[in-house]
Amino acid sequence: MSDLFSVLKQKISGKNLKIVFPEGLDERILTAVSRLASENILNPIVIGNKEEIEKKAAEIGVTLTNVEIIDPKQYEQMDELVDAFVERRKGKVSQEDARKMLLDVNYFGTMLVYMGKAHGLVSGAAHSTADTVRPALQIIKTKEGVRRTSGVFIMVRGDEKYVFADCAINIAPDSADLAEIAVETANTAKMFDIEPRVAMLSFSTKGSAKSPETEKVVEAVRLAKEKAPDLIIDGEFQFDAAFVPSVAKKKAPDSVIQGDANVFIFPSLEAGNIGYKIAQRLGNFEAIGPILQGLNRPVNDLSRGCNAEDVYKLALITAAQAL
């Protein structure tokens, strides 16, 4: 685990990356940003009332040296943000409504990222996933050629590292969605120095069962290969055929994946969410995420049950995504 984040620190150190934290009064956030700033890894921006934030920091015994604090109510460039927000929403929001909406810390923080005043955003310690993700989808939007954002978990146990997707966002992805998720997840894997070998999962291996559900995965494999011809990817696989060499030899002897997959794409959110939690709780893997992918600029969502260490790690990941 320490090796994984050491790699990320090396990648982002000295890059002058700014990460915005909208939840400035949350002590987990303040503890994490104090550590990030003191280690000189990235430049934290905290959103909220300066007096209240400094008071909270003093109460919990952390210093905010080199931490920038921005109060939306006193932000000198608010007119610029309002104009840009109205333009981005293409007439769906009036100037008056935009000004009100940008007093919401998540909308304000997301606009800082959109305007290039910050490189990424971390929120969710005190907000729902919808509160964090909705501004990102409305303002930052998905990258060209990407229809949907998706959520991955990096599963770590000792020296083992695997990537699971989508475990956070898309309830019932179709073949095109799955193909897109596979390609984006492979790119995310590379960020963690994982050379992706992608398995598209199902309850069938190479036609051992046929149904609309299995055919959806077969088509997703075809589409993913079209999108990324150099990517090592195959399916459909049952998990054991993707992970156990002896099973792969019997069930999929001609596949490029021979029980050595390290990126696993689940056919539905239901399967992905269950799968990562089983690995986490029964397999003692640490589940890092969800990491959102597919957006033009990185925005990531914390669990409301997170601790300061979770905030610290997700900030490092967000900064690495911004490179």
Side-chain angles (χ1 to χ4, degrees):
M1 175 59 67
S2 61
D3 288 346
L4 187 151
F5 284 98
S6 294
V7 168
L8 292 185
K9 287 181 185 180
Q10 288 171 9
K11 287 183 177 181
I12 66 178
S13 289
K15 299 295 195 301
N16 200 32
L17 295 169
K18 296 181 178 181
I19 302 300
V20 60
F21 301 84
E23 298 160 322
L25 287 176
D26 191 290
E27 61 184 65
R28 297 163 294 178
I29 299 293
L30 294 178
T31 301
V33 299
S34 175
R35 180 180 170 191
L36 289 162
S38 67
E39 292 179 0
N40 201 29
I41 297 171
L42 54 82
N43 301 323
I45 300 172
V46 174
I47 307 302
N49 179 276
K50 194 170 192 290
E51 255 181 45
E52 292 177 358
I53 289 171
E54 289 177 341
K55 182 182 177 184
K56 172 63 85 171
E59 286 174 0
I60 63 175
V62 301
T63 61
L64 297 180
T65 307
N66 297 325
V67 175
E68 184 178 359
I69 301 172
I70 299 178
D71 185 347
K73 293 178 181 177
Q74 299 179 12
Y75 188 57
E76 292 181 355
Q77 298 171 48
M78 181 60 94
D79 289 347
E80 180 187 355
L81 260 61
V82 169
D83 289 344
F85 184 58
V86 171
E87 183 181 350
R88 187 62 165 165
R89 297 295 290 137
K90 295 180 179 176
K92 295 178 182 176
V93 177
S94 68
Q95 289 268 339
E96 184 182 353
D97 287 342
R99 197 169 293 276
K100 288 177 184 174
M101 290 175 74
L102 287 175
L103 292 177
D104 177 291
V105 292
N106 281 311
Y107 273 97
F108 181 82
T110 302
M111 277 303 294
L112 292 183
V113 176
Y114 172 66
M115 298 291 287
K117 300 175 189 297
H119 297 93
L121 177 145
V122 174
S123 189
H127 291 87
S128 69
T129 294
D131 289 337
T132 300
V133 175
R134 187 185 300 110
L137 293 178
Q138 291 179 352
I139 299 167
I140 292 173
K141 303 186 180 181
T142 55
K143 293 184 289 190
E144 187 176 351
V146 175
R147 303 192 308 169
R148 297 176 180 273
T149 188
S150 51
V152 311
F153 280 86
I154 311 298
M155 308 300 293
V156 182
R157 183 177 65 185
D159 294 332
E160 296 176 85
K161 290 186 292 187
Y162 305 103
V163 189
F164 287 9
D166 177 1
C167 304
I169 303 291
N170 297 288
I171 295 173
D174 63 20
S175 295
D177 294 331
L178 286 175
E180 185 177 277
I181 290 166
V183 174
E184 288 297 310
T185 304
N187 292 332
T188 298
K190 291 175 185 176
M191 190 179 83
F192 291 91
D193 285 352
I194 298 170
E195 194 56 41
R197 301 180 64 82
V198 183
M200 305 289 279
L201 299 179
S202 182
F203 57 82
S204 164
T205 299
K206 293 294 184 179
S208 62
K210 281 195 180 292
S211 74
E213 290 81 6
T214 64
E215 290 302 311
K216 176 181 81 168
V217 178
V218 172
E219 175 65 3
V221 173
R222 187 187 70 78
L223 293 172
K225 287 179 177 179
E226 279 185 3
K227 291 171 77 73
D230 295 332
L231 181 61
I232 297 173
I233 182 169
D234 205 1
E236 86 284 18
F237 288 124
Q238 292 160 288
F239 182 81
D240 56 354
F243 191 69
V244 182
S246 60
V247 177
K249 190 175 181 180
K250 292 175 183 175
K251 291 188 173 184
D254 299 325
S255 175
V256 292
I257 301 290
Q258 283 298 302
D260 53 358
N262 52 21
V263 174
F264 300 94
I265 307 302
F266 292 85
S268 68
L269 180 60
E270 184 176 45
N273 189 270
I274 292 168
Y276 100 80
K277 288 183 183 293
I278 289 174
Q280 181 186 37
R281 299 301 178 180
L282 294 185
N284 294 317
F285 277 85
E286 181 169 359
I288 300 166
I291 302 163
L292 301 186
Q293 58 187 15
L295 293 167
N296 277 305
R297 293 185 178 91
V299 169
N300 280 311
D301 177 41
L302 292 157
S303 162
R304 278 175 282 182
C306 70
N307 56 36
E309 183 72 11
D310 297 327
V311 180
Y312 175 84
K313 288 175 177 176
L314 196 57
L316 296 179
I317 290 168
T318 306
Q321 285 180 295
L323 293 174

